[in-house]
């Protein structure tokens, strides 16, 4: 018997992915409950605090005003029509995804699963996770059959934090069900709050689609990063070359060099595919090469800073180096895996007198042992005091023309600045 559902969807894991999903579903009238194992997160969410970049205080207020509530009590599963898992899948020591949170969440919800319910996994992982890990764990704990008694599907999260145009509601949603009926159930759920649902043959194709998207970015960023290194030696302005190539109306998409890749997706997710390919006995060479090139970029940026200072007859040791923008992408507060951390560690090792500014980060440290620095309170003064200013993220709040006009020396790793004292990566 299909149980009577008091709530349309329970979102498990209230982070960067789960909360925007709650908001999008709630906005179209679905009854949504949030479930998290972290009582602090649940308290903060219920208090309307801003805990994810894309949900402002007003959006949190709207979500709570619509009847949304967060809880640590797994009993809510029993009243739900659908359960969507958005729990973290960090990189494990073995290079693959650590699926402990997925397993733990599945074990906790399994005893409460009922016939006709839908369980969707949104966490990023390698192809096979939904049918090899999630479905068997749910079956073992519920005594029910996946695909027969309840529905299971995979739908990758494609959120781009800080993107003002593309959000949950207007980014096409890829959905792959364990069976055709599972796929239909998941598509029906997402169609209620996402404009376009794209069905794949099964969960593995949906899992692979997500990894293909991120691997594509990872590899193309590595391509231009490698080119940035030799273009400097060849005396070629790569930024101008990219701008010229980008005028081609077909067959080319512009990617830009930078100080390295960061965040939870690009430096991590392609490894999940590399890990799975290694089980076949051979490497995924593109991913491994891209990883190697992108990881070297903070070290290369450090060398370029040393060269700039050297040209000004200054050693790195004792020079004031001001890092601007320490998050992993512009206009978000997320510092996870930011290449700024490795760059700061290297500059610190060379004896640089480090300072930083970031409108989104009030306090910042680059190693477990390094004492966190407070953000420079007066940006103009910090720029005037610096021997070298390094633009790592071109946050919209920065007046780049003013920075270029007032700084003694600038290394611009984003190709966003011009001026006599500015050198681009
Ligand atoms: N952040 C992004 O931009 C992004 C984009 C696409 C995909 N993803 C993927 O989405 C997934 C979630 O990432 P995130 O960035 O939202 O993580 P996050 O760390 O921001 O939030 C995860 C939340 O899940 C909770 N949690 C952990 N284990 C739990 C459990 N067993 N039961 C209930 N709650 C649990 C944590 O307490 C936390 O609040 C990951 O697989 C990630 O790779 C993230």
């Amino acid at each position: 018997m299909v149980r009577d559902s008091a709530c349309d969807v329970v979102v498990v894991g209230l982070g960067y992915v789960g909360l925007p999903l709650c908001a999008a579903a709630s906005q179209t009238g679905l009854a949504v409950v949030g479930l998290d194992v972290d009582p602090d997160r649940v308290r903060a969410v219920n208090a309307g605090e801003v805990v994810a970049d894309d949900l402002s205080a007003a959006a949190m207020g709207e979500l709570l005003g619509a009847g949304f509530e967060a809880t640590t009590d797994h009993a809510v599963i029993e009243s739900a029509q659908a359960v969507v898992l958005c729990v973290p899948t960090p990189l494990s020591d073995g290079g693959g995804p650590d699926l402990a949170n997925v397993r733990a969440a599945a074990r906790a919800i399994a005893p409460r699963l009922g016939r006709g319910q839908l369980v969707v996994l949104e966490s990023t992982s390698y192809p096979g996770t939904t049918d090899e890990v999630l479905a068997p764990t749910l079956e073992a704990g519920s005594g029910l059959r996946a695909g027969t008694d309840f529905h299971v599907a995979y739908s990758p999260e494609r959120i781009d934090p800080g993107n003002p145009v593309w959000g949950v509601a207007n980014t096409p949603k890829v959905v792959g069900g364990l069976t055709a009926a599972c796929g239909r159930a998941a598509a029906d759920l997402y169609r209620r709050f996402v404009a376009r649902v794209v069905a794949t043959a099964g969960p593995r194709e949906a899992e692979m689609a997500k990894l293909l998207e991120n691997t594509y970015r990872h590899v193309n960023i590595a391509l231009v990063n490698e080119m940035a290194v030799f273009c400097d030696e060849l005396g070629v302005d790569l930024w101008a070359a990219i701008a010229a190539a980008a005028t081609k109306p077909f067959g080319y998409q512009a990617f830009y060099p930078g100080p390295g890749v960061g965040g939870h997706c690009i430096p991590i997710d392609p490894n999940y595919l590399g890990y799975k390919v290694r089980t076949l006995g051979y490497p995924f060479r593109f991913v491994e090469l891209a990883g190697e090139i992108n990881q070297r970029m903070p070290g290369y940026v450090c060398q370029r800073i040393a060269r700039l200072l050297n040209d000004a007859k200054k050693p790195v040791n004792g020079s004031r180096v001001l890092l601007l923008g320490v998050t992993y992408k512009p206009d978000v507060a997320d510092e996870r895996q930011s290449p700024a951390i490795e760059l700061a560690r290297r500059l610190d090792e060379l004896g640089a007198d480090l300072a930083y500014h970031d409108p989104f980060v009030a306090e910042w440290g680059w190693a477990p042992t390094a004492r966190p620095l407070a953000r420079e309170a007066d940006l103009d003064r910090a720029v005037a005091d610096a021997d070298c200013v390094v633009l790592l993220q071109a946050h919209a709040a920065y007046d780049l023309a003013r920075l270029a006009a007032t700084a003694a020396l600038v290394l611009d790793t984003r190709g966003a600045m011009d001026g006599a004292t500015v050198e681009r990566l």
Side-chain angles (χ1 to χ4, degrees):
M1 194 192 80
V2 177
R3 68 176 55 157
D4 221 7
S5 302
C7 124
D8 292 308
V9 55
V10 170
V11 174
V12 183
L14 302 176
Y16 285 86
V17 169
L19 269 180
L21 182 72
C22 292
S26 163
Q27 265 163 19
T28 58
L30 271 74
V32 186
V33 174
L35 176 65
D36 203 294
V37 287
D38 178 357
D40 290 340
R41 174 54 59 109
V42 166
R43 185 205 49 74
V45 169
N46 284 335
E49 289 174 20
V50 174
V51 292
D53 275 307
D54 287 339
L55 281 189
S56 62
M60 287 300 295
E62 200 181 312
L63 176 61
L64 294 168
F68 171 85
E69 204 186 330
T71 179
T72 55
D73 185 357
H74 285 83
V76 290
I77 300 294
E78 290 166 19
S79 63
Q81 207 175 341
V83 180
V84 182
L85 303 181
C86 305
V87 297
T89 45
L91 200 59
S92 71
D93 291 342
D98 178 347
L99 295 177
N101 297 316
V102 174
R103 287 198 171 89
R107 276 197 297 268
I109 63 176
R112 296 173 166 93
L113 269 187
R115 287 177 194 278
Q117 262 180 322
L118 164 70
V119 181
V120 185
L121 180 63
E122 289 214 5
S123 306
T124 309
S125 186
Y126 56 79
T129 303
T130 305
D131 60 273
E132 287 170 0
V133 178
L134 178 64
T137 311
L138 292 171
E139 287 179 333
S142 65
L144 300 172
R145 285 285 306 277
T148 308
D149 298 324
F150 64 95
H151 300 301
V152 176
Y154 182 80
S155 181
E157 176 46 56
R158 292 169 133 179
I159 205 154
D160 180 18
N163 191 323
V165 177
W166 298 105
V168 175
N170 63 353
T171 304
K173 196 89 177 91
V174 171
V175 172
L178 204 59
T179 63
C182 293
R184 279 194 299 276
D188 287 347
L189 169 71
Y190 286 112
R191 256 187 224 111
R192 295 176 71 182
F193 57 96
V194 179
R196 185 169 165 231
V197 171
V198 180
T200 58
R204 289 176 179 233
E205 286 70 26
E207 290 162 331
M208 187 64 95
K210 167 76 185 177
L211 296 180
L212 171 60
E213 289 163 15
N214 283 354
T215 302
Y216 169 80
R217 282 187 60 73
H218 188 50
V219 167
N220 281 287
I221 292 168
L223 172 70
V224 284
N225 276 340
E226 187 171 29
M227 290 182 76
V229 176
F230 65 68
C231 278
D232 174 60
E233 290 195 50
L234 291 173
V236 176
D237 180 346
L238 178 61
W239 301 94
I242 293 171
T247 60
K248 190 179 182 186
F250 49 88
Y252 178 79
Q253 189 186 346
F255 284 85
Y256 299 93
V261 289
H264 188 79
C265 290
I266 305 298
I268 293 178
D269 299 352
N271 294 304
Y272 298 169
L273 197 48
Y275 165 84
K276 193 65 180 172
V277 174
R278 277 222 171 259
T279 64
L280 304 173
Y282 49 86
F284 184 2
R285 286 179 293 168
F286 266 109
V287 160
E288 295 190 1
L289 180 62
E292 188 187 313
I293 291 168
N294 287 335
Q295 272 164 28
R296 279 195 196 156
M297 289 312 286
Y300 176 68
V301 170
C302 185
Q303 283 172 27
R304 292 284 295 269
I305 294 167
R307 191 179 80 187
L308 259 184
L309 285 167
N310 186 60
D311 290 347
K313 301 192 174 7
K314 292 178 181 177
V316 177
N317 198 343
S319 284
R320 183 89 166 154
V321 178
L322 174 66
L323 304 179
L324 297 185
V326 297
T327 57
Y328 86 89
K329 63 185 293 194
D331 299 321
V332 299
D334 195 347
E335 311 158 35
R336 293 182 298 180
Q337 319 279 335
S338 170
I341 298 166
E342 176 63 9
L343 173 63
R345 197 188 61 71
R346 285 170 179 259
L347 288 166
D348 188 30
E349 241 170 46
L350 294 175
D353 175 17
L354 277 175
Y356 91 97
H357 181 277
D358 191 310
F360 296 93
V361 184
E363 199 181 61
W364 184 67
W366 51 87
T369 48
R371 198 160 45 85
L373 287 180
R375 169 176 60 207
E376 290 298 306
D378 181 340
L379 180 58
D380 284 342
R381 162 152 292 195
V383 169
D385 288 349
D387 296 300
C388 183
V389 173
V390 185
L391 182 73
L392 294 174
Q393 285 307 345
H395 291 306
Y398 286 140
D399 181 343
L400 299 179
R402 185 181 166 87
L403 285 171
T406 52
L409 270 183
V410 180
L411 181 66
D412 168 15
T413 69
R414 295 295 171 183
M417 295 174 70
D418 288 303
T421 59
V422 176
E423 181 174 299
R424 288 183 175 186
L425 185 68

